[in-house]
Amino acid sequence: MTTNAPGDRPRTPSSDPPPGPAPDLAPDPGHGPDPRRGRGVVRRIAPALGLFLLSPLVAEYLLGNVPASELWGLLLLAPMYGGGAIIIREAARRTGRGWPTILLLGCAYGLLEAGLIDQTLFNPAPLFEDDASHATFVPALGISGNNAVGFIAGHAIWSIGVPIALVESLVPRRAGVPWLGGFGLAVTGVVFVLGSLLIFSGIHDESGFMASAPQRIVAAALVVLLVAAAFVAGRPRTPAAVPDVPGARAGHPGGTPASGAFAGRPRPPVSRRAPAPWQAGAAVFAASAVFVARPENWWGIPTGVALLAAAAVVIVLWSRSRGWGAAHRLASAGGALLTYSILGFLLLMLHDVATVPNLIAQVFLVLGALALFLTARGTVRAASGATVREAP
């Protein structure tokens, strides 16, 4: 039964439009292709384009690892970072999987980039120039234990997880569905491979370094294992009765099968209520801040791993509580985003590139991140309100 919103004129047979396309939407064969079709394509792929640029902006520029004076480098970094984020997100959503799969694939991406593409995981030059990296050097493996934890977790959280969560929050009704068709995904794959080869060749030509064959084989094997674990741990689920995605209803044609909108094996009723979104965001900020500030020695490695494991357990428990939804996921991403926003100024100073133009540009980057977060929060709230109004 269709209900009318307050103030709507009740429909009668005479007021209903005739069947078929509305006159203003019907194509006019005398005037060539409908320009609205092109706008529809752009609107459909806009989230993927946004993710393509946002991933390197968060991973490198907001972090302060690359100063704003080198913003041109975004053209070189986006194919690898952005292409990887899109492929991971599409792979998870196309197979009906959620955040466990996305984050484990993010770990695989981190190992792929650091171990096989730019090979910073094995390159001895930065290892021995950096006292902190040298302090946790493992000669048998040719790596820094501290760098291994930082590279893999950092890419999974900030290069992949945070940008995906932000962009999905901007389009909550499409948060759980693919953004690209088969052709678009294939083009993204080609762009990712070419971009990765460009980064690899550029760094190799500059440094002359190449990881040993055993190092590359082990890294590739671990990447494969992480990818397999991502699809085993995040096996698809059947639609639940009450999904938590704003604007989606189970069994409704417009519903979106996003993370949390599925239920695998029946779980016992959960009586506890999820924390407020701001509490989830504050907890993630505290955990991520401690993670990036942990001591860069042998004590810092188990500390970082234990912190990540504890945060994962807490978030999983919270996500199974009543009331957990898109606002909580966005707030969690915002907490991690705040950590990088602060860390960026510190890294600019540590890298001796804290010039006035770079610091001003960094302020604008932080303000842009804040504006993006607030826009996403407004969109999520609006979609949540629409869901409440549509509920029977």
Side-chain angles (χ1 to χ4, degrees), residues 145-355:
N146 184 70
N147 283 356
V149 174
F151 289 159
I152 295 174
H155 283 306
I157 297 170
W158 284 280
S159 302
I160 303 299
V162 169
I164 290 176
L166 285 172
V167 178
E168 285 193 343
S169 296
L170 289 170
V171 286
R173 293 180 182 273
R174 299 179 59 196
V177 297
W179 293 337
L180 299 176
F183 177 76
L185 187 57
V187 170
T188 303
V190 172
V191 169
F192 171 72
V193 171
L194 293 178
S196 299
L197 290 174
L198 181 63
I199 296 293
F200 168 80
S201 62
I203 292 178
H204 180 264
D205 292 343
E206 180 180 351
S207 66
F209 172 78
M210 175 68 73
S212 67
Q215 287 175 326
R216 284 177 281 148
I217 292 171
V218 171
L222 290 176
V223 168
V224 172
L225 288 176
L226 283 169
V227 171
F231 288 98
V232 171
R235 57 185 181 277
R237 301 169 177 175
T238 55
V242 184
D244 63 359
V245 180
R249 296 198 301 268
H252 189 273
T256 56
S259 172
F262 294 87
R265 297 177 181 177
R267 293 172 180 163
V270 178
S271 58
R272 64 178 178 272
R273 183 162 184 81
W278 73 266
Q279 292 174 318
V284 171
F285 168 68
S288 58
V290 173
F291 177 79
V292 299
R294 73 193 188 282
E296 296 182 326
N297 53 33
W298 285 110
W299 288 106
I301 297 174
T303 299
V305 172
L307 187 62
L308 292 172
V313 170
V314 170
I315 291 177
V316 167
L317 291 176
W318 280 350
S319 68
R320 295 179 179 178
S321 302
R322 290 185 297 111
W324 181 272
H328 294 82
R329 289 189 289 274
L330 173 61
S332 300
L337 193 69
L338 179 59
T339 297
Y340 259 28
S341 298
I342 297 172
L343 184 61
F345 292 99
L346 298 177
L347 286 187
L348 286 177
M349 291 184 284
L350 288 174
H351 294 164
D352 293 327
V353 289
T355 62

